[in-house]
Amino acid sequence: MHGSPTGNRSLFGRLFGSSPSRRHVLGAAGLGAAGSVLGPVAASAAPSAAPRPASAELPRWRVDRDDVRHARTWMSWPSRPSIWGGRALGGVQEDIALIAKTIARFEPVVMCAPDAYTAAAARSSCGPAVEVITSVATDDLWMRDIAPVFRRDGRGGLDAIGLNFNGWGNKQTHSYDADVAETIAYDNHLVFTRTEFVGEGGAIETDGDGTLMATESSLVNKNRNRGMSRAEVEEAVLRAYGADKMIWVPGIKGKDITDDHIDVTSRFVRPGVVMVQVPPADRDDVWARDAREQLSVLSAATDARGRRLTVIRVAGPDTVRSKSSQFVDSYLNFHVVNGAVITAQFGDAAKDAAARATLAAAFPGRTVVQLDVDRLMAGGGGIHCSTMHEPLP
């Protein structure tokens, strides 16, 4: 979802003159309440990672929804001034430490660091509740896009797939990040398979019940899947995720590093229910049109089971503390953990409280924790972007 806040490398850095940023679209006013498949590269006692048809004899491998019980959350320690700039890096590290320590109240957290020096800094900042390892080297913090996507077979099996991360369409070079998915799978003795398409975890939302949603602009894009039609990309994604239906929204190409990941604007809550954050009626910039289009498409969509989607609108903040034009003030970039939902707050007391209430109602029985992670979100992503959940088998 993601990038750095330097030059044109940040997620929502605008490439079009004085047009409004994603910050203004989501928060200006409130709302109503391509590689080929490779064989397994990490052997274990788990079944083959190849997708299988559902049958009485063979379990179906499927990427489940975010709110299943987790074994742990994976994160990565930001350590490179060359990416973030020396002045910004410290603040981003503080935000990542805050997220990690908060998640660790509810479930284990594993923080990846590229070397012993940065690992020591991460341990000092995160404290003893967060496990820091150096066996998985990373370039940056965007674990949602570089980590493996884990699948379950419903019978106690767990495997991992890699989405062939290529720096968000070759916009950035991340020599370590390209190998993170495979390394995590190998270290955890999981069967690992590469998908037939190139993409990122933040580009695809799943309800765990056969339905996916994504933006065409990110996946049906020659910078990731040159020569593949939408139908071919869809078939490959559905096969990898063990799903039956894709709901496409058009999205926007070339305006941010991700080509418009869906996990800032629209999220599955559970099968048949989605959340959407949309702009006020008087906005007509490119991001406002994109958000309204997502709302329109999802409001009219049915899922793999034939259910008409229920759409929950989430009110964005009227004011924020950050002065960055690249600031991402989405409440929807939340991370669901065991017993909680971790999301952002922006200092707008009324809208922060409304978002907290909406999330609490959507995820009953879970504590909603709101964090000030302004430095991270000024860099182009949020809490969901910086985390990857590993479900229990």
Side-chain angles (χ1 to χ4, degrees):
M1 198 45 276
H2 328 284
S4 72
T6 57
N8 290 326
R9 301 175 69 182
S10 85
L11 171 60
F12 294 122
R14 296 293 158 240
L15 306 179
F16 49 100
S18 60
S19 298
S21 71
R22 175 67 61 97
R23 166 193 171 185
H24 296 114
V25 173
L26 292 183
L31 313 174
S36 61
V37 172
L38 305 179
V41 298
S44 76
S48 168
R52 299 172 175 178
S55 71
E57 294 78 26
L58 296 176
R60 184 178 189 180
W61 290 93
R62 171 169 285 171
V63 179
D64 220 324
R65 65 181 186 267
D66 288 11
D67 68 344
V68 298
R69 193 76 178 168
H70 296 177
R72 60 188 58 85
T73 286
W74 290 88
M75 297 185 67
S76 174
W77 187 249
S79 60
R80 297 196 176 186
S82 60
I83 292 177
W84 286 95
R87 180 173 298 179
L89 180 60
V92 173
Q93 289 174 334
E94 289 179 14
D95 285 356
I96 289 296
L98 176 61
I99 294 168
K101 289 186 288 187
T102 303
I103 295 171
R105 291 162 44 193
F106 302 95
E107 67 186 52
V109 178
V110 179
M111 182 75 68
C112 301
D115 53 54
Y117 176 80
T118 54
R123 291 188 186 100
S124 176
S125 295
C126 296
V130 175
E131 180 184 2
V132 180
I133 64 173
T134 57
S135 59
V136 181
T138 57
D139 295 292
D140 206 358
L141 63 85
W142 306 114
M143 195 59 91
R144 182 63 49 175
D145 291 347
I146 63 177
V149 175
F150 298 95
R151 302 187 303 185
R152 307 195 303 172
D153 66 2
R155 299 183 180 182
L158 185 72
D159 77 352
I161 55 174
L163 277 54
N164 303 295
F165 178 72
N166 74 342
W168 305 283
N170 298 307
K171 297 184 185 74
Q172 291 187 13
T173 300
H174 285 293
S175 56
Y176 288 148
D177 285 351
D179 296 325
V180 166
E182 184 173 343
T183 305
I184 288 177
Y186 179 84
D187 283 1
N188 283 267
H189 309 291
L190 295 175
V191 171
F192 177 76
T193 306
R194 295 191 183 275
T195 61
E196 299 170 282
F197 67 94
V198 175
E200 305 88 37
I204 302 164
E205 276 284 304
T206 177
D207 72 348
D209 194 38
T211 308
L212 308 177
M213 60 181 177
T215 55
E216 292 185 46
S217 54
S218 187
L219 293 177
V220 189
N221 193 321
K222 64 183 179 181
N223 65 20
R224 292 169 176 83
N225 295 298
R226 181 181 294 274
M228 295 179 71
S229 67
R230 190 181 85 163
E232 290 169 333
V233 172
E234 178 176 311
E235 181 181 4
V237 176
L238 290 175
R239 183 162 50 248
Y241 275 65
D244 305 302
K245 180 174 182 176
M246 173 69 82
I247 301 173
W248 290 107
V249 295
I252 307 167
K253 290 183 180 180
K255 300 299 185 184
D256 69 89
I257 198 170
T258 72
D259 295 295
D260 195 10
H261 275 182
I262 200 163
D263 70 344
V264 165
T265 307
S266 301
R267 301 287 303 277
F268 274 114
V269 174
R270 56 185 173 272
V273 181
V274 296
M275 282 185 170
V276 181
Q277 189 166 316
V278 293
D282 61 350
R283 295 208 61 85
D284 194 40
D285 56 80
V286 64
W287 296 107
R289 292 192 295 272
D290 174 53
R292 291 193 193 100
E293 192 154 30
Q294 291 193 33
L295 176 65
S296 176
V297 170
L298 294 173
S299 295
T302 57
D303 66 11
R305 309 301 177 201
R307 294 171 293 222
R308 183 74 169 262
L309 294 180
T310 297
V311 180
I312 301 170
R313 302 187 185 193
V314 178
D318 292 320
T319 60
V320 298
R321 292 173 294 256
S322 177
K323 303 300 183 183
S324 171
S325 63
Q326 302 164 20
F327 190 75
V328 182
D329 61 351
S330 172
Y331 293 116
L332 295 195
N333 201 250
F334 55 78
H335 180 44
V336 181
V337 299
N338 296 338
V341 179
I342 315 299
T343 189
Q345 55 95 340
F346 304 104
D348 183 330
K351 293 302 174 64
D352 288 349
R356 184 168 60 251
T358 301
L359 287 168
F363 294 96
R366 296 178 190 266
T367 301
V368 178
V369 182
Q370 292 184 299
L371 304 177
D372 174 357
V373 286
D374 283 3
R375 282 80 59 88
L376 173 66
M377 300 189 87
I383 296 168
H384 190 253
C385 305
S386 63
T387 57
M388 175 58 83
H389 63 285
E390 178 186 332
L392 288 170

